[in-house]
Amino acid sequence: MKKSLDLVFLWHMHQPDYRDYASGDFVLPWVYLHAIKDYTDMAYHLERHPKVRVVLNFVPILLDQLEDYADQFATGKLRDPLLRLLVHKNSCELSLEERRLALDACFRSSHTKMIAPYPAYTRLWELFQRLQSEGDTALSYLSGQYVADLLVWYHLAWCGESVRRESELVARLMTKAEGFDYEDRKRLLDLVGELTSGIIPRYRKLAESGQIEISATPHYHPLAPLLIDFASSKEAMPDAPMPMSPHYPKGRLRVSRHIQLAKQSHKARFGSEPKGMWPAEGSISVETLEVMAEEGCHWAASGEGVLVNSLRRSHQAVPERGQYLYRPYRMEKGADGLQCFFRDDHLSDLIGFEYSRWHGKDAALHFIDQLENIARHALDGETPVVSVILDGENAWEYYPYNGFYFLDELYAQIEAHPKIHTSTYADYVKLSPVRTDIAASASLPTIAAGSWVYGNFSTWIGCEDKNRAWDLLCAAKLSYDMVMSSGRLSQEQQEAAERQLCSCESSDWFWWFGDYNPSSSVASFDRLYRHNLSELYRLLQLPAPQSLNDPVSLGCSGETEVDGAMRRATE
């Protein structure tokens, strides 16, 4: 390989807001579970390979929740029901509701990678399966010790591979296998607290060393182009049905607000505002990029399909992908000072969906071979910049050992490679004026609105369930605007209402609605979305509409690929 290549990994870390603001409790445990597994392991691999530079994109609402958990562990006031069960002093005295929570929650894992490898955990699963079909009476025969062991194994299975390798406690508990007592469970809780509370400081240290760039997303992960204009979805889906509401009220102002909140969050936690942003779901439009530029963003990123659609919309020929994909872009008019990068969908999906079935070293070598092939076919005199952007959390539970051997080998291969140079977007933008070999920046007359999934917004709008969810949100926003302008709420009440609205505006609710996601997951998000809207009406001192009593979506009762939290870039 004679030619060089610039490589930017962007690992996107995100969980929606799982808190019930009325009670203070967390409704779902995914924030701390991903903290002890994925956020911990991803930091470990970077610490182990200091020459590899990457972008870590942390959504501020995830950081808010990580800090919430840190406060819980510091004060001992646990607001997560599953953590309270883990350290309940006498598991024989659990209520029927508490037992149901444990039984319902503690088998929500990849069975082949997170349950089957552990005989003791598998035995718990087989006992549950044997009795489940006979109802609550049969399940009542499961003892308090069974529930205690189940809670411990669930948390052990969610520990990252780096934790398994370095924690004496985890090794001891796995060896013990059963009969866990209160002291075992209390020590495990302490470890969970130590790992979760250390996430933000750990990544801050990596950023201060210059190894990583920490970027952001508008605060609560809103689907910005749709908040600004529902009609933007027609650019890639001209025949898709739309919500009954013509638009989201004052949506552009809401997008600006989410960006401003993200900048404030970033500066408070990391000492400066983010240089760039991965907009929620890589979703962009002309108006979205304009707002981001107005708010001082230097770079943004999206999906390959959006770039292809934009070239076609600009009446440009779409050449071989090596001639258009591996370079930054600017808008010909508007969005001044903002450069946009587009992910390599093929490489990103290899990591997200294919390599989990490969031997780790084989997958890493194949990935390097793909990069070398891109470099070989690059235009003379230019160094292509390859963007690999994907979820930094959900893929790893489908890999053996949480992806440990794949990531370790991949980073080692990249560190040793003389022609593959990892970078961050901030450094790439900063150094581009003084580099003579850099990929020439191109311009686009316009952007075809879309996301990294299929290049359109079909994951969030355009079917009956999703459109109904938007109509419910639009109705709530009209009520919000009316009450906020009336002056009848105090400053504190207004702030509470806006925080609740922000949570309702997250893109995640719309992601889950539809008949292609697993029904069990859809039910959880459906209940939380309707509860959030009802809570917004309560804070506005208005009655919630009766329509919020009915499910928005039922999901799919059959098999789905990988998990509802994952999606390929192309159909």
Side-chain angles (χ1 to χ4, degrees), residues 16 18 247 277 354 406 419 444 493 525:
Y18 296 120
H247 57 82
M277 288 193 172
E354 301 300 333
F406 166 68
K419 295 295 185 178
L444 286 170
Q493 290 171 328
F525 283 88

Side-chain angles (χ1 to χ4, degrees), residues 120-316:
Y121 199 178
T122 300
R123 186 166 63 252
L124 296 172
W125 164 247
E126 290 171 346
L127 284 169
F128 175 73
Q129 286 290 92
R130 195 175 306 161
L131 296 174
Q132 183 185 26
S133 61
E134 299 180 32
D136 287 342
T137 301
L139 288 173
S140 68
Y141 286 102
L142 296 173
S143 69
Q145 186 62 61
Y146 173 95
V147 177
D149 287 1
L150 176 60
L151 286 160
V152 170
W153 268 109
Y154 183 62
H155 288 88
L156 290 175
W158 271 89
C159 284
E161 185 63 20
S162 62
V163 180
R164 292 189 229 281
R165 289 166 180 256
E166 299 197 345
S167 170
E168 181 277 333
L169 173 67
V170 170
R172 182 174 63 78
L173 293 178
M174 285 188 158
T175 300
K176 184 175 182 179
E178 60 187 3
F180 302 113
D181 59 25
Y182 174 73
E183 288 303 319
D184 292 328
R185 292 182 280 118
K186 181 64 171 65
R187 291 189 184 97
L188 183 55
L189 177 78
D190 291 341
L191 176 63
V192 171
E194 176 186 335
L195 295 170
T196 304
S197 301
I199 294 299
I200 294 176
R202 199 168 178 180
Y203 281 97
R204 185 191 299 122
K205 184 177 180 180
L206 286 166
E208 290 170 349
S209 75
Q211 185 179 356
I212 70 171
E213 173 189 359
I214 300 179
S215 61
T217 295
H219 199 107
Y220 282 72
H221 207 263
L223 212 296
L226 296 183
L227 286 191
I228 294 172
D229 185 4
F230 288 158
S232 66
S233 62
K234 291 285 190 177
E235 293 176 19
M237 307 186 304
D239 299 324
M242 290 288 101
M244 295 177 64
S245 305
H247 57 82
Y248 186 69
K250 302 180 182 178
R252 184 166 176 142
L253 290 176
R254 294 301 304 153
V255 172
S256 295
R257 179 61 174 158
H258 280 273
I259 295 175
Q260 291 161 7
L261 289 171
K263 289 162 59 180
Q264 294 169 16
S265 159
H266 206 87
K267 187 171 184 178
R269 288 170 173 130
F270 305 115
S272 62
E273 294 181 355
K275 299 296 184 184
M277 288 193 172
W278 167 253
E281 312 298 356
S283 59
I284 59 174
S285 62
V286 171
E287 293 81 2
T288 302
L289 293 182
E290 288 175 350
V291 174
M292 294 179 73
E294 290 167 4
E295 294 297 337
C297 292
H298 294 173
W299 64 262
S302 186
E304 182 178 341
V306 174
L307 176 56
V308 172
N309 289 342
S310 298
L311 291 171
R312 289 172 176 159
R313 195 162 187 248
S314 303
H315 305 293
Q316 296 185 30

Side-chain angles (χ1 to χ4, degrees), residues 427-441:
D427 278 354
Y428 188 90
V429 170
K430 180 180 178 180
L431 296 175
S432 59
V434 298
R435 282 182 56 181
T436 58
D437 64 334
I438 204 160
S441 177

